Amino acid sequence: MIFGTDDARHPGVSHFYGLAEYFVGGTVELRERVALEFSAYEKTPAETRAYFATMGWRTVVGFQTRNAPHRAHEYLQKAALELCDGLLIQPLVGRKKPGDFNPAAILTGYEALIRNYYPAERAVLTVLSTVMRYAGPREAVFHAIVRRNYGCTHFIVGRDHAGVDGFYDKYAAHRYSESFGPDELGITILRMRGPYLCLKCESITTDKTCPHGDADPTYSFPISGTAIRKMLEEAAEIDTRVIRAEVVEAIRRLPRPFITE
Amino acid sequence: MIFGTDDARHPGVSHFYGLAEYFVGGTVELRERVALEFSAYEKTPAETRAYFATMGWRTVVGFQTRNAPHRAHEYLQKAALELCDGLLIQPLVGRKKPGDFNPAAILTGYEALIRNYYPAERAVLTVLSTVMRYAGPREAVFHAIVRRNYGCTHFIVGRDHAGVDGFYDKYAAHRYSESFGPDELGITILRMRGPYLCLKCESITTDKTCPHGDADPTYSFPISGTAIRKMLEEAAEIDTRVIRAEVVEAIRRLPRPFITE
């Protein structure tokens, strides 16, 4: 099973059930490149590979996202970037579910983040136009293979990658990705834990490098999508420990940060 | 040349010049293990390898040091640990130069750091009994090979690794380590930049992941050995942004943190 479940409450399963009765297979050929709202951010695999070569990046870590960036994302990307030459941030734009970030919010947020907090010669932002399947582990590996095709040598699989509503164990994608041999995927998967702000360490960290969150949950200050959303929607004070002020300010200027229908 | 210089002001060169006239070569055999002051912290390569296996660590990053730990060291170790299963912190104890940390200070400092800030199941502290040559790039690669023998799969080479008094360019060891093929050393070298506290990022970072330090040095708050030393020797207030209070407190209790003669 693609989704590991046939529960129709799963958005991928429900979408699949809503399709017509037949699937057509065969060789796929590109007849015409469709112009999309965010085509300006699109680079083909040949273009990203050429860009990496121009920049002299021999190792490039790819980051998949469907969220506006908060400091947990920044932590994962920067930890990986300390050990790689370059970073490809490639948000997925395409059909997603209500409540997800609009692509404009994700791109605006990342532009603000990169402009203010990343060395220009180390990070590049492009989009991947496809749909989210919310297929968890299998989609995590699919996401990695796609980024290999774009020229990445490494790919971050984090907590509950491509998961939805608790349908998958939060590290099921780590385990599934380990079932492939080291050279089988053609890309190195970086299995990273879910970051939180540790009030004892006084920094963003994970349960792999910090002992406090597991021992005493009061130390662990979660950086949750829900909290971030609240900060974006309301005129509340920005907690810069969890999200950069420049990111919030840029997104707040947009009329509609979230998918509503 | 081992040291890349014959300048007698270099402590390794000067020590070498002070040796007798003949060297003896041949097969080396261990007749008897000498008891040293810090033998309790010593594990043989067979023992560390067995320990890594017991812990289920398939990838282990080795960290060489001759200093008490401050937060820049912690940053490097934890960034690498996010991508490896385990961490071997292996301070070098043996002849060093006046002004260097005494082994007791390094070990006491690391014990305090690990006990308070590292998951017990991810980090182990042992010592390497040998002398510092201060041979920069060549010693960095030597340090890596030694840690490969202890079972490490990865090894951190930082800023001015095994350097002294500006004799080597701060990233000469990175370049030298790159002159070896990927499988030639049997260990993956993690070439990491020198961390600083960025007042704009509000975190420890490096010029690889933060754009501010290079653009405007006032953002970059250096975490220097000199500043740390001052904090340890005087009863000054501890700046926990650069060193953990528990580390300072543990070392302050020692009669003699630095080598004096």
Side-chain angles (χ1 to χ4, degrees), chain A residues 185-256:
Chain A
L185 299 176
I187 186 164
T188 301
I189 308 274
L190 304 179
R191 287 173 275 271
M192 300 183 78
R193 310 284 297 183
Y196 54 87
L197 169 66
C198 174
L199 301 176
K200 169 80 174 148
C201 288
E202 295 180 318
S203 61
I204 313 275
T205 184
T206 74
D207 61 5
K208 197 168 175 199
T209 56
C210 153
H212 309 116
D214 280 348
D216 181 350
T218 61
Y219 280 131
S220 157
F221 188 89
I223 306 178
S224 73
T226 318
I228 301 292
R229 185 155 316 202
K230 219 171 134 80
M231 222 178 289
L232 286 166
E233 285 176 329
E234 299 165 15
E237 203 179 332
I238 303 166
D239 186 346
T240 59
R241 295 175 308 167
V242 303
I243 191 164
R244 299 294 186 184
E246 294 86 344
V247 171
V248 175
E249 285 155 11
I251 296 176
R252 274 185 183 161
R253 278 184 223 114
L254 299 174
R256 218 166 53 99

Side-chain angles (χ1 to χ4, degrees), chain B residues 16 20 43 49 112 117 146 152 172 178 186 191 198 202 209 217 226 236 241:
Chain B
F16 186 83
K43 278 195 204 307
R49 284 168 179 271
Y117 293 97
V146 170
C152 294
E178 284 187 294
R191 287 173 276 272
C198 174
E202 294 180 318
T209 55
T226 317
R241 296 174 308 167

Side-chain angles (χ1 to χ4, degrees), chain A residues 165-183:
Chain A
D165 297 342
F167 272 98
Y168 308 103
D169 178 81
K170 59 187 177 179
Y171 293 113
H174 283 195
R175 291 191 296 276
Y176 182 63
S177 72
E178 284 187 295
S179 69
F180 296 87
D183 300 320

Side-chain angles (χ1 to χ4, degrees), chain A residues 117-160:
Chain A
Y117 293 96
Y118 285 67
E121 71 280 11
R122 292 283 178 194
V124 60
L125 175 69
T126 75
V127 299
L128 177 68
S129 300
T130 185
V131 297
M132 271 306 293
R133 278 92 176 165
Y134 305 99
R138 291 173 68 93
E139 189 166 10
V141 170
F142 172 68
H143 283 166
I145 293 169
V146 170
R147 272 41 175 247
R148 174 199 70 196
N149 296 345
Y150 277 92
C152 294
T153 55
H154 294 73
F155 182 72
I156 295 172
V157 170
R159 184 181 179 282
D160 200 23

Side-chain angles (χ1 to χ4, degrees), chain B residues 81-104:
Chain B
L81 185 55
E82 289 294 353
L83 305 180
C84 290
D85 297 334
L87 167 68
L88 171 67
I89 299 169
Q90 199 177 50
L92 186 151
V93 301
R95 179 174 53 77
K96 289 191 285 186
K97 59 182 172 52
D100 281 351
F101 278 99
N102 257 322

Side-chain angles (χ1 to χ4, degrees), chain A residues 36-39 41-42 64-66 90-96 101-104 106-107 126-132 147:
Chain A
L36 298 166
E37 193 183 347
F38 298 98
S39 292
Y41 287 91
E42 229 172 4
Q64 148 71 28
T65 186
R66 48 184 163 124
Q90 198 177 50
L92 186 152
V93 301
R95 177 175 53 75
K96 288 190 288 187
F101 277 100
N102 257 321
I106 301 171
L107 292 167
T126 75
V127 299
L128 177 68
S129 300
T130 185
V131 297
M132 271 306 293
R147 272 41 175 247

Side-chain angles (χ1 to χ4, degrees), chain B residues 8 18 213 244:
Chain B
R244 299 293 187 186

